[in-house]
């Protein structure tokens, strides 16, 4: 992959999405600060200059855009495994977050566009909190995690580990889909068999016990009416 590093930009995902037409190979874009970082469904991702590792990776897949369900979860597994190998125990929150001690350490945002050959360009954005100022939580209004120990590690080395893991994950996902990641995801599940709510635009959509994810990456909820699969879409999960 080609690599670009910028001090500041609006959103590395937005930058890469606007350039997909001109790409001929994978491109990694790293920003030390984002002024308009994005989460899912128009939510925002906050950063402080130098306080986190933020990057987006554009990668071509042979799969069609509609066959990407589960990709954010597969990316979560790849990143969690890198962090585990660096002695940072993390867990996964469905569908797209990485938690440390139950608090959000990293977010993942996958966006995509069809390419000319029937395949897809994906843009995988990752924001990983390394060292946040004390005021960060209060400003955000929710508990978040960082990883000061990782912050002391060489950023290029950390980035190289993540890039290698993501490249492998994309290739595996392209060939086998989410099935190759299901067991590992369930082993890292933060809310296994805990009671959770699924929230959609502020409304409680479902409530039940989070069993785990199925072979396509849908969350299996045990409810009074039996076990139901939940599609990621724009919904969010909250522990009860
Ligand atoms: P949630 O994390 O609320 O369940 P989500 O997984 O749908 O929702 P995303 O869209 O992935 O959330 O990420 C956006 C949310 O992440 C924001 O609404 C904000 O609460 C939170 N957030 C923003 N910046 C950070 C950060 N640097 N660290 C941790 N959390 C953040």
């Amino acid at each position: 992959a080609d690599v670009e590093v910028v001090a500041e930009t609006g959103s590395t995902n937005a930058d890469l999405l606007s350039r997909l037409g001109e790409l001929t190979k994978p491109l990694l874009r790293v920003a030390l600060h984002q002024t308009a970082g994005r989460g899912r469904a128009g939510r925002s991702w906050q950063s402080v200059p130098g306080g986190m590792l933020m990057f987006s990776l554009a990668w071509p897949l042979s799969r069609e855009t509609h066959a990407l369900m589960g990709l954010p979860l597969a990316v979560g597994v790849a990143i969690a495994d890198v962090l585990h190998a660096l002695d940072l125990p993390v867990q996964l929150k469905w569908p797209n977050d990485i938690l440390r001690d139950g608090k959000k350490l990293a977010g993942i945002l996958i966006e995509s566009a069809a390419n000319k050959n029937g395949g897809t360009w994906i843009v995988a954005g990752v924001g990983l909190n390394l060292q946040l100022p004390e005021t960060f939580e209060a400003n955000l209004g929710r508990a978040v995690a960082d990883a000061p120990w990782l912050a002391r590690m060489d950023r290029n080395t950390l980035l190289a580990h993540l890039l290698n893991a993501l490249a492998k994950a994309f290739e595996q996902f392209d060939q086998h889909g989410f099935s190759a990641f299901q067991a590992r995801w369930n082993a890292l599940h933060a809310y296994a068999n805990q009671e959770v709510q699924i929230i959609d635009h502020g409304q409680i959509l479902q409530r039940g016990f989070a069993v785990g994810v199925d072979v396509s990456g849908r969350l299996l909820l045990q409810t009074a009416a039996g076990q139901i699969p939940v599609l990621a879409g724009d919904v969010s999960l909250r522990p009860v």
Side-chain angles (χ1 to χ4, degrees):
D2 283 340
V3 180
E4 299 176 351
V5 182
V6 293
E8 183 180 307
T9 189
S11 150
T12 53
N13 258 43
D15 291 347
L16 291 188
L17 277 173
S18 72
R19 291 166 54 191
L20 289 180
E22 58 189 72
L23 297 189
T24 53
K25 57 174 167 165
L27 174 60
L28 176 73
R29 185 167 170 86
V30 185
L32 302 183
H33 184 47
Q34 289 189 144
T35 52
R38 310 204 302 216
R40 293 184 308 144
R43 289 186 279 271
S44 74
W45 184 261
Q46 303 296 328
S47 74
V48 283
M52 51 194 69
L53 190 62
M54 279 177 301
F55 63 86
S56 296
L57 179 57
W59 200 274
L61 296 186
S62 58
R63 289 179 166 253
E64 296 178 25
T65 42
H66 65 76
L68 299 179
M69 195 167 84
L71 183 57
L73 286 79
V75 168
V77 167
I79 293 170
D81 279 342
V82 168
L83 298 178
H84 274 263
L86 296 170
D87 280 334
L88 186 73
V90 293
Q91 292 189 299
L92 297 175
K93 176 182 169 216
W94 186 87
N96 64 329
D97 292 335
I98 297 186
L99 306 184
R100 180 181 186 199
D101 298 330
K103 293 183 273 186
K104 191 149 156 179
L105 175 74
I108 295 162
L109 178 67
I110 308 274
E111 296 179 284
S112 61
N115 69 20
K116 295 181 210 96
N117 316 317
T120 305
W121 272 104
I122 55 157
V123 176
V126 177
L128 170 64
N129 296 331
L130 293 176
Q131 187 133 35
L132 300 175
E134 270 174 28
T135 50
F136 191 86
E137 276 195 339
N139 289 341
L140 192 66
R142 65 182 282 178
V144 296
D146 62 6
W149 183 86
L150 269 195
R152 287 194 288 277
M153 181 177 169
D154 176 61
R155 301 266 168 115
N156 293 341
T157 308
L158 179 55
L159 201 54
H161 284 305
L162 292 167
L163 179 57
N164 280 330
L166 289 175
K168 273 192 204 129
F170 292 151
E171 269 152 37
Q172 213 174 4
F173 187 92
D174 212 13
Q175 283 178 26
H176 308 290
F178 182 68
S179 64
F181 300 87
Q182 182 192 8
R184 185 68 184 137
W185 199 98
N186 282 324
L188 294 166
H189 185 189
Y191 299 112
N193 299 314
Q194 291 181 40
E195 196 169 15
V196 301
Q197 289 176 338
I198 302 297
I199 314 281
D200 188 2
H201 296 92
Q203 305 284 322
I204 300 173
L205 207 63
Q206 299 284 351
R207 182 178 174 142
F209 290 85
V211 176
V213 294
D214 71 6
V215 72
S216 334
R218 297 179 302 181
L219 181 72
L220 297 173
L221 266 194
Q222 191 64 46
T223 71
Q227 194 162 301
I228 53 163
V230 184
L231 282 166
D234 286 340
V235 301
S236 294
L237 177 151
R238 290 281 175 278
V240 174

PDB file of all heavy atoms in Angstrom, residues 186-221:
ATOM      1  N   ASN A 186     -16.599 -14.184  18.593  1.00  0.00           N
ATOM      2  CA  ASN A 186     -17.375 -14.607  19.770  1.00  0.00           C
ATOM      3  C   ASN A 186     -16.485 -14.786  20.996  1.00  0.00           C
ATOM      4  O   ASN A 186     -16.920 -14.542  22.122  1.00  0.00           O
ATOM      5  CB  ASN A 186     -18.171 -15.870  19.456  1.00  0.00           C
ATOM      6  CG  ASN A 186     -19.421 -15.540  18.644  1.00  0.00           C
ATOM      7  OD1 ASN A 186     -20.046 -14.504  18.843  1.00  0.00           O
ATOM      8  ND2 ASN A 186     -19.776 -16.410  17.702  1.00  0.00           N
ATOM      9  N   ALA A 187     -15.232 -15.177  20.778  1.00  0.00           N
ATOM     10  CA  ALA A 187     -14.306 -15.333  21.908  1.00  0.00           C
ATOM     11  C   ALA A 187     -13.946 -13.965  22.511  1.00  0.00           C
ATOM     12  O   ALA A 187     -13.561 -13.883  23.679  1.00  0.00           O
ATOM     13  CB  ALA A 187     -13.049 -16.060  21.456  1.00  0.00           C
ATOM     14  N   LEU A 188     -14.071 -12.905  21.702  1.00  0.00           N
ATOM     15  CA  LEU A 188     -13.705 -11.556  22.165  1.00  0.00           C
ATOM     16  C   LEU A 188     -14.927 -10.711  22.544  1.00  0.00           C
ATOM     17  O   LEU A 188     -14.798  -9.528  22.864  1.00  0.00           O
ATOM     18  CB  LEU A 188     -12.924 -10.827  21.055  1.00  0.00           C
ATOM     19  CG  LEU A 188     -11.552 -11.392  20.688  1.00  0.00           C
ATOM     20  CD1 LEU A 188     -11.057 -10.785  19.372  1.00  0.00           C
ATOM     21  CD2 LEU A 188     -10.548 -11.106  21.803  1.00  0.00           C
ATOM     22  N   HIS A 189     -16.112 -11.316  22.502  1.00  0.00           N
ATOM     23  CA  HIS A 189     -17.363 -10.583  22.692  1.00  0.00           C
ATOM     24  C   HIS A 189     -17.463  -9.984  24.104  1.00  0.00           C
ATOM     25  O   HIS A 189     -17.437 -10.706  25.098  1.00  0.00           O
ATOM     26  CB  HIS A 189     -18.524 -11.560  22.449  1.00  0.00           C
ATOM     27  CG  HIS A 189     -19.875 -10.939  22.486  1.00  0.00           C
ATOM     28  ND1 HIS A 189     -21.029 -11.691  22.480  1.00  0.00           N
ATOM     29  CD2 HIS A 189     -20.267  -9.651  22.523  1.00  0.00           C
ATOM     30  CE1 HIS A 189     -22.075 -10.878  22.517  1.00  0.00           C
ATOM     31  NE2 HIS A 189     -21.631  -9.642  22.544  1.00  0.00           N
ATOM     32  N   ALA A 190     -17.620  -8.660  24.161  1.00  0.00           N
ATOM     33  CA  ALA A 190     -17.647  -7.960  25.464  1.00  0.00           C
ATOM     34  C   ALA A 190     -18.911  -8.276  26.266  1.00  0.00           C
ATOM     35  O   ALA A 190     -18.892  -8.212  27.493  1.00  0.00           O
ATOM     36  CB  ALA A 190     -17.539  -6.453  25.237  1.00  0.00           C
ATOM     37  N   TYR A 191     -20.016  -8.561  25.595  1.00  0.00           N
ATOM     38  CA  TYR A 191     -21.294  -8.694  26.317  1.00  0.00           C
ATOM     39  C   TYR A 191     -21.881 -10.103  26.203  1.00  0.00           C
ATOM     40  O   TYR A 191     -23.105 -10.263  26.264  1.00  0.00           O
ATOM     41  CB  TYR A 191     -22.302  -7.665  25.788  1.00  0.00           C
ATOM     42  CG  TYR A 191     -21.827  -6.251  25.997  1.00  0.00           C
ATOM     43  CD1 TYR A 191     -21.472  -5.446  24.918  1.00  0.00           C
ATOM     44  CD2 TYR A 191     -21.713  -5.720  27.275  1.00  0.00           C
ATOM     45  CE1 TYR A 191     -21.012  -4.153  25.108  1.00  0.00           C
ATOM     46  CE2 TYR A 191     -21.255  -4.429  27.481  1.00  0.00           C
ATOM     47  CZ  TYR A 191     -20.908  -3.659  26.397  1.00  0.00           C
ATOM     48  OH  TYR A 191     -20.447  -2.383  26.592  1.00  0.00           O
ATOM     49  N   ALA A 192     -21.021 -11.109  26.079  1.00  0.00           N
ATOM     50  CA  ALA A 192     -21.506 -12.478  25.895  1.00  0.00           C
ATOM     51  C   ALA A 192     -22.494 -12.852  26.999  1.00  0.00           C
ATOM     52  O   ALA A 192     -22.169 -12.773  28.190  1.00  0.00           O
ATOM     53  CB  ALA A 192     -20.328 -13.449  25.889  1.00  0.00           C
ATOM     54  N   ASN A 193     -23.681 -13.207  26.577  1.00  0.00           N
ATOM     55  CA  ASN A 193     -24.762 -13.655  27.474  1.00  0.00           C
ATOM     56  C   ASN A 193     -25.207 -12.599  28.480  1.00  0.00           C
ATOM     57  O   ASN A 193     -25.838 -12.917  29.479  1.00  0.00           O
ATOM     58  CB  ASN A 193     -24.376 -14.956  28.166  1.00  0.00           C
ATOM     59  CG  ASN A 193     -24.139 -16.039  27.138  1.00  0.00           C
ATOM     60  OD1 ASN A 193     -24.950 -16.191  26.214  1.00  0.00           O
ATOM     61  ND2 ASN A 193     -23.035 -16.749  27.247  1.00  0.00           N
ATOM     62  N   GLN A 194     -24.878 -11.349  28.201  1.00  0.00           N
ATOM     63  CA  GLN A 194     -25.379 -10.258  29.043  1.00  0.00           C
ATOM     64  C   GLN A 194     -26.611  -9.633  28.403  1.00  0.00           C
ATOM     65  O   GLN A 194     -26.795  -9.686  27.191  1.00  0.00           O
ATOM     66  CB  GLN A 194     -24.306  -9.193  29.231  1.00  0.00           C
ATOM     67  CG  GLN A 194     -23.146  -9.677  30.078  1.00  0.00           C
ATOM     68  CD  GLN A 194     -22.106  -8.586  30.258  1.00  0.00           C
ATOM     69  OE1 GLN A 194     -22.438  -7.420  30.440  1.00  0.00           O
ATOM     70  NE2 GLN A 194     -20.849  -8.962  30.192  1.00  0.00           N
ATOM     71  N   GLU A 195     -27.415  -9.004  29.259  1.00  0.00           N
ATOM     72  CA  GLU A 195     -28.629  -8.386  28.743  1.00  0.00           C
ATOM     73  C   GLU A 195     -28.288  -7.049  28.090  1.00  0.00           C
ATOM     74  O   GLU A 195     -27.556  -6.242  28.666  1.00  0.00           O
ATOM     75  CB  GLU A 195     -29.644  -8.176  29.872  1.00  0.00           C
ATOM     76  CG  GLU A 195     -31.025  -7.907  29.327  1.00  0.00           C
ATOM     77  CD  GLU A 195     -32.098  -7.948  30.406  1.00  0.00           C
ATOM     78  OE1 GLU A 195     -31.756  -7.902  31.601  1.00  0.00           O
ATOM     79  OE2 GLU A 195     -33.281  -8.006  30.023  1.00  0.00           O
ATOM     80  N   VAL A 196     -28.811  -6.846  26.889  1.00  0.00           N
ATOM     81  CA  VAL A 196     -28.522  -5.616  26.139  1.00  0.00           C
ATOM     82  C   VAL A 196     -29.791  -5.095  25.472  1.00  0.00           C
ATOM     83  O   VAL A 196     -30.787  -5.805  25.340  1.00  0.00           O
ATOM     84  CB  VAL A 196     -27.449  -5.860  25.044  1.00  0.00           C
ATOM     85  CG1 VAL A 196     -26.150  -6.361  25.652  1.00  0.00           C
ATOM     86  CG2 VAL A 196     -27.960  -6.839  23.982  1.00  0.00           C
ATOM     87  N   GLN A 197     -29.706  -3.830  25.075  1.00  0.00           N
ATOM     88  CA  GLN A 197     -30.770  -3.231  24.275  1.00  0.00           C
ATOM     89  C   GLN A 197     -30.196  -2.832  22.925  1.00  0.00           C
ATOM     90  O   GLN A 197     -29.044  -2.426  22.837  1.00  0.00           O
ATOM     91  CB  GLN A 197     -31.304  -1.965  24.966  1.00  0.00           C
ATOM     92  CG  GLN A 197     -32.099  -2.265  26.210  1.00  0.00           C
ATOM     93  CD  GLN A 197     -32.523  -0.995  26.934  1.00  0.00           C
ATOM     94  OE1 GLN A 197     -31.920   0.051  26.758  1.00  0.00           O
ATOM     95  NE2 GLN A 197     -33.552  -1.106  27.742  1.00  0.00           N
ATOM     96  N   ILE A 198     -31.019  -2.932  21.912  1.00  0.00           N
ATOM     97  CA  ILE A 198     -30.638  -2.459  20.585  1.00  0.00           C
ATOM     98  C   ILE A 198     -31.411  -1.166  20.343  1.00  0.00           C
ATOM     99  O   ILE A 198     -32.647  -1.143  20.420  1.00  0.00           O
ATOM    100  CB  ILE A 198     -30.999  -3.497  19.495  1.00  0.00           C
ATOM    101  CG1 ILE A 198     -30.313  -4.836  19.802  1.00  0.00           C
ATOM    102  CG2 ILE A 198     -30.614  -2.978  18.118  1.00  0.00           C
ATOM    103  CD1 ILE A 198     -28.807  -4.802  19.800  1.00  0.00           C
ATOM    104  N   ILE A 199     -30.664  -0.103  20.084  1.00  0.00           N
ATOM    105  CA  ILE A 199     -31.256   1.225  19.950  1.00  0.00           C
ATOM    106  C   ILE A 199     -31.195   1.677  18.499  1.00  0.00           C
ATOM    107  O   ILE A 199     -30.143   1.561  17.857  1.00  0.00           O
ATOM    108  CB  ILE A 199     -30.470   2.259  20.799  1.00  0.00           C
ATOM    109  CG1 ILE A 199     -30.183   1.730  22.203  1.00  0.00           C
ATOM    110  CG2 ILE A 199     -31.169   3.609  20.811  1.00  0.00           C
ATOM    111  CD1 ILE A 199     -31.315   1.815  23.153  1.00  0.00           C
ATOM    112  N   ASP A 200     -32.312   2.191  18.006  1.00  0.00           N
ATOM    113  CA  ASP A 200     -32.366   2.702  16.641  1.00  0.00           C
ATOM    114  C   ASP A 200     -32.969   4.104  16.688  1.00  0.00           C
ATOM    115  O   ASP A 200     -34.124   4.260  17.098  1.00  0.00           O
ATOM    116  CB  ASP A 200     -33.243   1.764  15.788  1.00  0.00           C
ATOM    117  CG  ASP A 200     -33.189   2.127  14.322  1.00  0.00           C
ATOM    118  OD1 ASP A 200     -32.452   3.066  13.965  1.00  0.00           O
ATOM    119  OD2 ASP A 200     -33.881   1.461  13.530  1.00  0.00           O
ATOM    120  N   HIS A 201     -32.194   5.101  16.305  1.00  0.00           N
ATOM    121  CA  HIS A 201     -32.661   6.490  16.365  1.00  0.00           C
ATOM    122  C   HIS A 201     -33.294   6.817  17.717  1.00  0.00           C
ATOM    123  O   HIS A 201     -34.394   7.376  17.781  1.00  0.00           O
ATOM    124  CB  HIS A 201     -33.660   6.779  15.241  1.00  0.00           C
ATOM    125  CG  HIS A 201     -33.055   6.674  13.876  1.00  0.00           C
ATOM    126  ND1 HIS A 201     -33.079   5.508  13.141  1.00  0.00           N
ATOM    127  CD2 HIS A 201     -32.368   7.568  13.143  1.00  0.00           C
ATOM    128  CE1 HIS A 201     -32.446   5.718  11.999  1.00  0.00           C
ATOM    129  NE2 HIS A 201     -31.999   6.951  11.983  1.00  0.00           N
ATOM    130  N   GLY A 202     -32.626   6.430  18.784  1.00  0.00           N
ATOM    131  CA  GLY A 202     -33.111   6.767  20.126  1.00  0.00           C
ATOM    132  C   GLY A 202     -34.203   5.843  20.656  1.00  0.00           C
ATOM    133  O   GLY A 202     -34.579   5.927  21.819  1.00  0.00           O
ATOM    134  N   GLN A 203     -34.736   4.977  19.816  1.00  0.00           N
ATOM    135  CA  GLN A 203     -35.805   4.067  20.251  1.00  0.00           C
ATOM    136  C   GLN A 203     -35.233   2.684  20.580  1.00  0.00           C
ATOM    137  O   GLN A 203     -34.351   2.213  19.872  1.00  0.00           O
ATOM    138  CB  GLN A 203     -36.831   3.860  19.119  1.00  0.00           C
ATOM    139  CG  GLN A 203     -37.438   5.123  18.576  1.00  0.00           C
ATOM    140  CD  GLN A 203     -38.474   5.705  19.506  1.00  0.00           C
ATOM    141  OE1 GLN A 203     -39.231   4.965  20.129  1.00  0.00           O
ATOM    142  NE2 GLN A 203     -38.493   7.027  19.626  1.00  0.00           N
ATOM    143  N   ILE A 204     -35.780   2.068  21.628  1.00  0.00           N
ATOM    144  CA  ILE A 204     -35.368   0.690  21.927  1.00  0.00           C
ATOM    145  C   ILE A 204     -36.064  -0.248  20.947  1.00  0.00           C
ATOM    146  O   ILE A 204     -37.283  -0.356  20.936  1.00  0.00           O
ATOM    147  CB  ILE A 204     -35.735   0.297  23.369  1.00  0.00           C
ATOM    148  CG1 ILE A 204     -35.030   1.250  24.353  1.00  0.00           C
ATOM    149  CG2 ILE A 204     -35.330  -1.151  23.650  1.00  0.00           C
ATOM    150  CD1 ILE A 204     -35.455   1.042  25.801  1.00  0.00           C
ATOM    151  N   LEU A 205     -35.259  -0.924  20.137  1.00  0.00           N
ATOM    152  CA  LEU A 205     -35.802  -1.791  19.087  1.00  0.00           C
ATOM    153  C   LEU A 205     -36.003  -3.201  19.627  1.00  0.00           C
ATOM    154  O   LEU A 205     -36.995  -3.866  19.316  1.00  0.00           O
ATOM    155  CB  LEU A 205     -34.792  -1.815  17.942  1.00  0.00           C
ATOM    156  CG  LEU A 205     -35.261  -2.067  16.537  1.00  0.00           C
ATOM    157  CD1 LEU A 205     -36.196  -0.966  16.095  1.00  0.00           C
ATOM    158  CD2 LEU A 205     -34.033  -2.109  15.606  1.00  0.00           C
ATOM    159  N   GLN A 206     -35.024  -3.666  20.406  1.00  0.00           N
ATOM    160  CA  GLN A 206     -35.059  -5.016  20.952  1.00  0.00           C
ATOM    161  C   GLN A 206     -34.381  -5.017  22.301  1.00  0.00           C
ATOM    162  O   GLN A 206     -33.544  -4.159  22.580  1.00  0.00           O
ATOM    163  CB  GLN A 206     -34.271  -5.993  20.063  1.00  0.00           C
ATOM    164  CG  GLN A 206     -34.761  -6.143  18.661  1.00  0.00           C
ATOM    165  CD  GLN A 206     -36.012  -6.994  18.557  1.00  0.00           C
ATOM    166  OE1 GLN A 206     -36.421  -7.611  19.545  1.00  0.00           O
ATOM    167  NE2 GLN A 206     -36.623  -7.017  17.399  1.00  0.00           N
ATOM    168  N   ARG A 207     -34.717  -6.013  23.092  1.00  0.00           N
ATOM    169  CA  ARG A 207     -34.007  -6.221  24.343  1.00  0.00           C
ATOM    170  C   ARG A 207     -33.860  -7.721  24.523  1.00  0.00           C
ATOM    171  O   ARG A 207     -34.784  -8.475  24.238  1.00  0.00           O
ATOM    172  CB  ARG A 207     -34.836  -5.621  25.483  1.00  0.00           C
ATOM    173  CG  ARG A 207     -34.167  -5.738  26.829  1.00  0.00           C
ATOM    174  CD  ARG A 207     -35.057  -5.062  27.865  1.00  0.00           C
ATOM    175  NE  ARG A 207     -34.500  -5.293  29.177  1.00  0.00           N
ATOM    176  CZ  ARG A 207     -34.493  -4.381  30.143  1.00  0.00           C
ATOM    177  NH1 ARG A 207     -35.024  -3.190  29.947  1.00  0.00           N
ATOM    178  NH2 ARG A 207     -33.972  -4.660  31.303  1.00  0.00           N
ATOM    179  N   GLY A 208     -32.681  -8.153  24.939  1.00  0.00           N
ATOM    180  CA  GLY A 208     -32.489  -9.586  25.116  1.00  0.00           C
ATOM    181  C   GLY A 208     -31.076  -9.874  25.576  1.00  0.00           C
ATOM    182  O   GLY A 208     -30.307  -8.960  25.885  1.00  0.00           O
ATOM    183  N   PHE A 209     -30.733 -11.155  25.598  1.00  0.00           N
ATOM    184  CA  PHE A 209     -29.394 -11.551  26.006  1.00  0.00           C
ATOM    185  C   PHE A 209     -28.543 -11.759  24.746  1.00  0.00           C
ATOM    186  O   PHE A 209     -28.953 -12.487  23.840  1.00  0.00           O
ATOM    187  CB  PHE A 209     -29.457 -12.813  26.876  1.00  0.00           C
ATOM    188  CG  PHE A 209     -30.064 -12.527  28.220  1.00  0.00           C
ATOM    189  CD1 PHE A 209     -31.446 -12.543  28.409  1.00  0.00           C
ATOM    190  CD2 PHE A 209     -29.244 -12.185  29.291  1.00  0.00           C
ATOM    191  CE1 PHE A 209     -32.001 -12.238  29.643  1.00  0.00           C
ATOM    192  CE2 PHE A 209     -29.799 -11.878  30.539  1.00  0.00           C
ATOM    193  CZ  PHE A 209     -31.173 -11.905  30.713  1.00  0.00           C
ATOM    194  N   ALA A 210     -27.385 -11.099  24.723  1.00  0.00           N
ATOM    195  CA  ALA A 210     -26.519 -11.148  23.539  1.00  0.00           C
ATOM    196  C   ALA A 210     -25.781 -12.482  23.514  1.00  0.00           C
ATOM    197  O   ALA A 210     -24.813 -12.680  24.237  1.00  0.00           O
ATOM    198  CB  ALA A 210     -25.539  -9.993  23.562  1.00  0.00           C
ATOM    199  N   VAL A 211     -26.245 -13.392  22.680  1.00  0.00           N
ATOM    200  CA  VAL A 211     -25.655 -14.741  22.631  1.00  0.00           C
ATOM    201  C   VAL A 211     -24.284 -14.703  21.952  1.00  0.00           C
ATOM    202  O   VAL A 211     -23.326 -15.310  22.410  1.00  0.00           O
ATOM    203  CB  VAL A 211     -26.605 -15.693  21.871  1.00  0.00           C
ATOM    204  CG1 VAL A 211     -25.981 -17.071  21.728  1.00  0.00           C
ATOM    205  CG2 VAL A 211     -27.963 -15.759  22.557  1.00  0.00           C
ATOM    206  N   GLY A 212     -24.211 -13.970  20.841  1.00  0.00           N
ATOM    207  CA  GLY A 212     -22.972 -13.910  20.048  1.00  0.00           C
ATOM    208  C   GLY A 212     -23.355 -13.549  18.631  1.00  0.00           C
ATOM    209  O   GLY A 212     -24.488 -13.121  18.396  1.00  0.00           O
ATOM    210  N   VAL A 213     -22.419 -13.711  17.700  1.00  0.00           N
ATOM    211  CA  VAL A 213     -22.745 -13.383  16.308  1.00  0.00           C
ATOM    212  C   VAL A 213     -22.846 -14.658  15.474  1.00  0.00           C
ATOM    213  O   VAL A 213     -22.193 -15.659  15.766  1.00  0.00           O
ATOM    214  CB  VAL A 213     -21.725 -12.418  15.677  1.00  0.00           C
ATOM    215  CG1 VAL A 213     -21.785 -11.061  16.358  1.00  0.00           C
ATOM    216  CG2 VAL A 213     -20.308 -12.980  15.716  1.00  0.00           C
ATOM    217  N   ASP A 214     -23.682 -14.592  14.436  1.00  0.00           N
ATOM    218  CA  ASP A 214     -23.827 -15.755  13.554  1.00  0.00           C
ATOM    219  C   ASP A 214     -22.792 -15.681  12.437  1.00  0.00           C
ATOM    220  O   ASP A 214     -21.939 -14.797  12.408  1.00  0.00           O
ATOM    221  CB  ASP A 214     -25.279 -15.886  13.043  1.00  0.00           C
ATOM    222  CG  ASP A 214     -25.657 -14.814  12.032  1.00  0.00           C
ATOM    223  OD1 ASP A 214     -24.776 -14.016  11.628  1.00  0.00           O
ATOM    224  OD2 ASP A 214     -26.835 -14.772  11.645  1.00  0.00           O
ATOM    225  N   VAL A 215     -22.900 -16.591  11.492  1.00  0.00           N
ATOM    226  CA  VAL A 215     -21.873 -16.749  10.458  1.00  0.00           C
ATOM    227  C   VAL A 215     -21.813 -15.545   9.511  1.00  0.00           C
ATOM    228  O   VAL A 215     -20.821 -15.335   8.825  1.00  0.00           O
ATOM    229  CB  VAL A 215     -22.112 -18.083   9.709  1.00  0.00           C
ATOM    230  CG1 VAL A 215     -23.348 -17.986   8.823  1.00  0.00           C
ATOM    231  CG2 VAL A 215     -20.889 -18.522   8.935  1.00  0.00           C
ATOM    232  N   SER A 216     -22.876 -14.701   9.520  1.00  0.00           N
ATOM    233  CA  SER A 216     -22.828 -13.477   8.702  1.00  0.00           C
ATOM    234  C   SER A 216     -22.512 -12.234   9.507  1.00  0.00           C
ATOM    235  O   SER A 216     -22.485 -11.138   8.954  1.00  0.00           O
ATOM    236  CB  SER A 216     -24.164 -13.218   8.001  1.00  0.00           C
ATOM    237  OG  SER A 216     -24.900 -14.344   7.779  1.00  0.00           O
ATOM    238  N   GLY A 217     -22.330 -12.368  10.814  1.00  0.00           N
ATOM    239  CA  GLY A 217     -22.025 -11.198  11.633  1.00  0.00           C
ATOM    240  C   GLY A 217     -23.243 -10.536  12.250  1.00  0.00           C
ATOM    241  O   GLY A 217     -23.145  -9.461  12.819  1.00  0.00           O
ATOM    242  N   ARG A 218     -24.405 -11.190  12.123  1.00  0.00           N
ATOM    243  CA  ARG A 218     -25.596 -10.647  12.796  1.00  0.00           C
ATOM    244  C   ARG A 218     -25.524 -10.998  14.279  1.00  0.00           C
ATOM    245  O   ARG A 218     -25.043 -12.081  14.643  1.00  0.00           O
ATOM    246  CB  ARG A 218     -26.871 -11.242  12.188  1.00  0.00           C
ATOM    247  CG  ARG A 218     -27.041 -10.884  10.724  1.00  0.00           C
ATOM    248  CD  ARG A 218     -28.285 -11.496  10.129  1.00  0.00           C
ATOM    249  NE  ARG A 218     -28.288 -12.968  10.255  1.00  0.00           N
ATOM    250  CZ  ARG A 218     -29.257 -13.754   9.789  1.00  0.00           C
ATOM    251  NH1 ARG A 218     -30.296 -13.225   9.180  1.00  0.00           N
ATOM    252  NH2 ARG A 218     -29.185 -15.054   9.941  1.00  0.00           N
ATOM    253  N   LEU A 219     -26.018 -10.085  15.125  1.00  0.00           N
ATOM    254  CA  LEU A 219     -26.021 -10.350  16.562  1.00  0.00           C
ATOM    255  C   LEU A 219     -27.216 -11.239  16.900  1.00  0.00           C
ATOM    256  O   LEU A 219     -28.352 -10.917  16.536  1.00  0.00           O
ATOM    257  CB  LEU A 219     -26.120  -9.035  17.343  1.00  0.00           C
ATOM    258  CG  LEU A 219     -26.111  -9.200  18.862  1.00  0.00           C
ATOM    259  CD1 LEU A 219     -24.730  -9.599  19.371  1.00  0.00           C
ATOM    260  CD2 LEU A 219     -26.564  -7.915  19.553  1.00  0.00           C
ATOM    261  N   LEU A 220     -26.967 -12.346  17.587  1.00  0.00           N
ATOM    262  CA  LEU A 220     -28.061 -13.225  17.995  1.00  0.00           C
ATOM    263  C   LEU A 220     -28.516 -12.810  19.386  1.00  0.00           C
ATOM    264  O   LEU A 220     -27.745 -12.784  20.337  1.00  0.00           O
ATOM    265  CB  LEU A 220     -27.597 -14.679  17.993  1.00  0.00           C
ATOM    266  CG  LEU A 220     -27.191 -15.186  16.610  1.00  0.00           C
ATOM    267  CD1 LEU A 220     -26.575 -16.583  16.698  1.00  0.00           C
ATOM    268  CD2 LEU A 220     -28.401 -15.190  15.673  1.00  0.00           C
ATOM    269  N   LEU A 221     -29.796 -12.459  19.471  1.00  0.00           N
ATOM    270  CA  LEU A 221     -30.376 -12.017  20.741  1.00  0.00           C
ATOM    271  C   LEU A 221     -31.348 -13.071  21.235  1.00  0.00           C
ATOM    272  O   LEU A 221     -32.241 -13.498  20.497  1.00  0.00           O
ATOM    273  CB  LEU A 221     -31.184 -10.741  20.522  1.00  0.00           C
ATOM    274  CG  LEU A 221     -30.571  -9.374  20.733  1.00  0.00           C
ATOM    275  CD1 LEU A 221     -31.674  -8.339  20.781  1.00  0.00           C
ATOM    276  CD2 LEU A 221     -29.718  -9.327  21.987  1.00  0.00           C
TER     277      LEU A 221
END
